[in-house]
Amino acid sequence: MQLTSLAKTKRRRIIIIGIIMAAGISFVGIYHLFYQKQVQNEKKLVTAVHAVSAEKKDLLKNISLVGQTVPKAQVDIAAKYPGKIENVSAALGQQVSSGQVLIREDADDAALTVSVDQHAYNQAVADARTTQVQLNANYDKAKADYDKAFATYQRNKNVYDVGGISADDMDTAQQQVEDARAALNSIENQMDGGTASSVTSAQENIAKAKSSLAAAQKQKNDMYLTSSINGTIGYRQVEAGDMVTAGQKLLSVYDNSVMYVDYQVSEQDLPAFSLGNSLSVNIESLSNSFDGSIIYISPTIDSSTMTYVLRVSVENPDGLLRGGMFAHAVLKSILRSNVITVPKAAVIAKNGKNYVFIINADNTVTQKEISVGASGDEDEEIISGLSDGENVAVDNLSRLKDGMKINPLGDGSDGQ
């Protein structure tokens, strides 16, 4: 009986000790779990931010340009006069040379006009020659008549002075001199600078006939349509036998030996470009790039697009480039050399001012006003407010306040 009681007492002690040990283990576990959650919550209260250092370097900007290729020259050939087409000696894609006859119109009517005007010119030349000869003959006769009348008058005067002739005879001789002088003066008065007006009129008729002949000859020549450049036929809308009107476009010749690309450039990007600079032009459809050179920058801005036109010349010896191809170019421009920069993400614009958050040695942040300059693709130029090497926050900026404790992260950290 006594042994049974002792066994029961021993069993109760073991159970109590087990309960006490289990309670202790549970208490330690609960405390450890609570402590870990408290530590994690405290960590979560500290904002994690990535930090970068302000540094001196070149401020870069990639200027992207998009345009289309344009042939060096395009010449449209049109009929100058209405008429019938006799012959077309140009096909699409054919290479032609400057001065080569490509289309011939019916020139029979023009040839007749040339013939008529040629005869008119010849007649005007002959009339002018006849007028000149006639004038010379009339002048010579009038001069001879005057000289004869004057000589007779002198003789009669000598005889009259000695009483050999009557006064009536003397008056008759004097009248003959005056009549001869009047006839001579009438011819001399036609002279204007040494040339008689009748001769001048005849010479003007020659000039008029010559101009008419030249116009007729030009009209005949214009019936033969030629190319003014070396190039390729890229448009053809005419056949032999067609009736065409004046000004009707018949052919187009394209000179693709050099291609142009026109780009639009904003005012702020314009200083990066200058005449003669090289520029690589990428043609996506050809998966190839071509060396180009800037040959033109418009002197004034386009008021409709508020951009400047930049023309790039690209040599095309192999004929790979054709008009209308999309051409892309990128210029890596150094906006500023050796200036203090920070990433754009680090700068806060507020109420017309710019700020950054400086990361202090004790992992607190201080908001600081700065002055910014030029803006690159990724960075901002800092004119004042930051020194080389100072650390600034680049994310979670909306959560930051002066004096706030932060958890600084390096590049590639995710803040977990």
Side-chain angles (χ1 to χ4, degrees):
M1 193 71 180
Q2 187 177 0
L3 290 175
T4 302
S5 177
L6 289 173
K8 288 181 179 180
T9 301
K10 184 177 180 181
R11 192 163 48 247
R12 280 198 298 270
R13 287 178 179 175
I14 292 173
I15 292 171
I16 292 171
I17 292 172
I19 292 172
I20 293 174
M21 290 180 65
I25 292 172
S26 298
F27 176 78
V28 171
I30 291 171
Y31 175 80
H32 183 69
L33 180 62
F34 175 78
Y35 178 76
Q36 280 185 332
K37 286 185 176 180
Q38 185 177 12
V39 170
Q40 288 178 354
N41 288 335
E42 288 178 353
K43 283 186 176 181
K44 288 182 178 179
L45 292 175
V46 178
T47 300
V49 299
H50 286 90
V52 297
S53 296
E55 60 177 329
K56 279 191 172 183
K57 63 180 183 180
D58 292 339
L59 185 67
L60 302 178
K61 182 177 182 180
N62 289 326
I63 302 174
S64 182
L65 305 173
V66 177
Q68 284 184 287
T69 56
V70 179
K72 177 184 177 181
Q74 174 186 340
V75 176
D76 294 331
I77 299 175
K80 192 170 183 179
Y81 300 99
K84 181 181 179 181
I85 301 299
E86 283 193 345
N87 179 262
V88 180
S89 56
L92 280 175
Q94 178 181 333
Q95 296 291 320
V96 297
S97 303
S98 176
Q100 180 177 340
V101 176
L102 306 179
I103 297 175
R104 187 174 71 250
E105 286 190 72
D106 182 358
D108 290 346
D109 291 344
L112 289 174
T113 303
V114 170
S115 179
V116 170
D117 288 341
Q118 180 68 61
H119 291 306
Y121 172 74
N122 294 340
Q123 182 179 353
V125 171
D127 289 345
R129 185 178 298 112
T130 300
T131 300
Q132 183 67 59
V133 171
Q134 187 65 48
L135 177 68
N136 292 340
N138 291 339
Y139 177 80
D140 291 341
K141 182 178 183 303
K143 184 68 168 61
D145 289 344
Y146 171 74
D147 292 340
K148 180 180 179 181
F150 185 75
T152 301
Y153 170 77
Q154 289 292 345
R155 290 194 302 271
N156 288 342
K157 187 175 183 304
N158 292 334
V159 175
Y160 174 75
D161 289 340
V162 297
I165 62 174
S166 65
D168 290 340
D169 291 337
M170 186 64 197
D171 290 341
T172 299
Q174 185 174 357
Q175 185 62 49
Q176 289 176 346
V177 170
E178 291 176 357
D179 291 344
R181 181 61 189 171
L184 180 60
N185 286 341
S186 68
I187 296 176
E188 290 179 340
N189 288 338
Q190 296 181 37
M191 303 293 187
D192 181 13
T195 303
S197 57
S198 58
V199 174
T200 301
S201 177
Q203 291 174 344
E204 288 300 316
N205 286 334
I206 291 176
K208 181 180 178 181
K210 186 176 182 180
S211 297
S212 297
L213 176 60
Q217 186 63 57
K218 185 178 185 305
Q219 181 174 353
K220 179 184 176 183
N221 293 339
D222 287 341
M223 297 297 179
Y224 299 87
L225 305 181
T226 64
S227 173
S228 61
I229 61 173
N230 298 328
T232 305
I233 302 296
Y235 173 89
R236 184 180 187 271
Q237 197 63 39
V238 63
E239 299 293 341
D242 287 350
M243 296 298 296
V244 297
T245 59
Q248 181 178 337
K249 179 180 174 182
L250 307 177
L251 296 173
S252 290
V253 182
Y254 296 86
D255 181 1
N256 286 357
S257 61
V258 175
M259 300 298 290
Y260 297 141
V261 183
D262 289 341
Y263 295 114
Q264 279 69 48
V265 181
S266 65
E267 181 178 355
Q268 67 182 55
D269 292 336
L270 192 64
F273 301 92
S274 59
L275 292 175
N277 280 4
S278 297
L279 193 66
S280 180
V281 176
N282 178 261
I283 307 297
E284 295 184 3
S285 61
L286 300 178
S287 300
N288 199 0
S289 294
F290 300 82
D291 293 332
S293 177
I294 300 173
I295 62 171
Y296 170 76
I297 300 174
S298 59
T300 186
I301 198 168
D302 185 333
S303 59
S304 60
T305 62
M306 298 307 294
T307 59
Y308 292 85
V309 175
L310 180 81
R311 170 162 284 190
V312 177
S313 175
V314 182
E315 295 293 332
N316 188 29
D318 299 327
L320 297 177
L321 298 176
R322 299 176 183 273
M325 289 182 168
F326 284 98
H328 182 254
V330 176
L331 177 68
K332 182 172 288 188
S333 172
I334 299 178
L335 298 180
R336 299 285 189 273
S337 296
N338 195 32
V339 295
I340 295 177
T341 64
V342 296
K344 288 182 175 181
V347 180
I348 305 171
K350 185 165 55 178
N351 298 327
K353 297 182 179 180
N354 294 291
Y355 303 90
V356 293
F357 279 100
I358 304 293
I359 299 177
N360 303 312
D362 60 354
N363 290 341
T364 59
V365 294
T366 301
Q367 182 173 285
K368 191 174 184 181
E369 184 180 348
I370 59 170
S371 295
V372 300
S375 179
D377 287 334
E378 299 177 354
D379 301 319
E380 296 274 7
E381 176 192 11
I382 306 302
I383 298 176
S384 63
L386 271 183
S387 299
D388 188 16
E390 285 191 279
N391 291 326
V392 296
V394 293
D395 54 13
N396 286 329
L397 303 185
S398 61
R399 300 182 182 180
L400 302 184
K401 296 180 181 179
D402 262 345
M404 183 177 179
K405 190 82 172 180
I406 57 96
N407 179 25
L409 303 175
D411 289 342
S413 301
D414 59 6
Q416 297 299 318

